[in-house]
Amino acid sequence: MNISWPQRVGLSDASSADLAEKTHARSPTPAYDQQDLQFAAAFSILRRGIAEHAFPGASVVVTHYGKLIASKAAGRFTYEPSSPEVTAATIFDLASVSKVVATTVMAMILYERGLLDLEAPVITLAPEFGGNGRSRVDPLRKDVTVHMLLAHSSGLPAYEKLFQRASNKEDLLSLAFATGLTADPGSRGEYSDIGFIILGTVLERIADESLDRFCQQEIFGTLGMTQTTFNPPSAWRPAIPPTSLRDNSRDRIIQGEVQDENAYAMGGVAGHAGVFSSATDLAIFANAMLHEGRPLVRPETLKLFTRRESSPTGTSRALGWDTPSFPSQSGPSQSGKHFSANSFGHLGYTGTSFWIDPERHLSITLLTNRTWPDSSNQGIKQIRPMFHDSIVEALDPEAKH
């Protein structure tokens, strides 16, 4: 399909000297003049991914000991030669990476302020979760805690097409609260978008503020992440790569609006998806995480939320965050084989990933729109771990052995 590409537009408001100062103060120091030589093999892997149509374009940043040692973009918005080139400032739909840069950090901040009790039953904060007789039919619902929602051990299912039965946010939330458990709480680790939809609503009620407003002020604004937001303004849209040709509910190209259909039905702001950002902004966020959470949270709060859960058996989850998984029959860990056991990060369905290794003082952000033109190509699952391994091996040749 031929797409008429509008002229690219500016993405940040340079009039805010305060935000610019904050961004400069917390940005990793640029030191990527040797990146093409140092990371030639890694960048070649990205170009191969594009050539094999694993994704049309990619933007990557690497930080190491407070320095921005790589800032590279490759490919285009789509596979058409006329589409815009991706740059380091290109803004992507983060999909489930939203769970950590927004929702989980909001939970960390509220916990640190003494407002969020991790062991509080969900029904005490959202009575709808046990309403309409659901607790009598399923008495275990009362045992589901906020901790379990964060750790993906609540017993809620991974995903439901709630958007097919909902015409607005209120309808979708009602369906999410009514979703039945598929396992006893705490007995099984199952990644759950439904759980994070509920979590986002719980956090909004505790804060008495919407998720997007809280995150914009307390997280993105604090760090000076001027290219990060829910629901990007229309002026940004021509400079955001499209994520799909069409979906089940929108018969149009999905560009500059959240790809996830449940999040779209909620107005683009949800606990599980909805944030748009650039690799450059995520380097600022990574720098804060590598400074033990400062200035967002205290080091002990970050450690609590990023420590892998000891149960259920086999889980790779921390609180909100993921940790490197063990290689399995389905393939290698998406973080590769070199990230330490104390590492933490997250993946996004659209082809985004964000990994931090505090032992190596290293972060790697890889943003793509692998869902274009549809979600059928799974090539990124092979490209991503190879790319991560190549970056680490370029920094530490001993890691190869």
Side-chain angles (χ1 to χ4, degrees), residues 195-237:
F196 256 71
I197 290 172
I198 294 171
L199 176 64
T201 301
V202 166
L203 297 179
E204 287 182 327
R205 293 179 182 180
I206 292 172
D208 194 25
E209 190 170 18
S210 67
L211 181 68
D212 56 335
R213 287 180 60 85
F214 183 96
C215 292
Q216 200 67 51
Q217 178 174 335
E218 303 285 351
I219 305 171
F220 312 147
T222 295
L223 294 179
M225 296 168 64
T226 59
Q227 296 176 321
T228 305
T229 188
F230 288 90
N231 284 327
S234 57
W236 290 19
R237 289 190 176 185

Side-chain angles (χ1 to χ4, degrees), residues 308 316 324-338 385 389:
R308 180 184 287 193
S316 67
S325 60
F326 298 110
S328 65
Q329 292 181 347
S330 61
S333 169
Q334 288 297 292
S335 63
K337 58 189 176 185
H338 299 312
D389 287 345

Side-chain angles (χ1 to χ4, degrees), residues 113-179:
R113 292 176 181 174
L115 299 173
L116 175 64
D117 178 0
L118 294 176
E119 305 311 321
V122 173
I123 58 172
T124 64
L125 300 167
E128 306 97 310
F129 188 63
N132 296 326
R134 282 188 285 275
S135 288
R136 290 193 299 273
V137 175
D138 188 357
L140 293 179
R141 296 180 82 83
K142 71 180 187 307
D143 298 330
V144 177
T145 64
V146 173
H147 185 129
M148 292 174 183
L149 294 181
L150 280 160
H152 297 282
S153 60
S154 65
L156 287 164
Y159 176 73
E160 296 284 340
K161 294 181 179 180
L162 304 180
F163 64 90
Q164 293 182 338
R165 294 176 285 150
S167 58
N168 54 48
K169 178 178 179 178
E170 290 70 28
D171 289 348
L172 193 137
L173 283 176
S174 294
L175 293 169
F177 282 126
T179 300

Side-chain angles (χ1 to χ4, degrees), residues 228-263:
T228 305
T229 188
F230 288 90
N231 284 327
S234 57
W236 290 19
R237 289 190 176 185
I240 299 175
T243 46
S244 57
L245 201 54
R246 62 180 57 85
D247 63 17
N248 294 311
S249 58
R250 291 167 286 180
D251 188 21
R252 61 177 181 271
I253 293 169
I254 311 304
Q255 182 183 16
E257 56 184 332
V258 65
Q259 185 267 346
D260 182 276
E261 291 160 299
N262 283 335

Side-chain angles (χ1 to χ4, degrees), residues 358-369:
E359 292 186 15
R360 293 185 181 274
H361 299 272
L362 173 70
S363 77
I364 303 177
T365 300
L366 174 62
L367 305 182
T368 79
N369 57 330

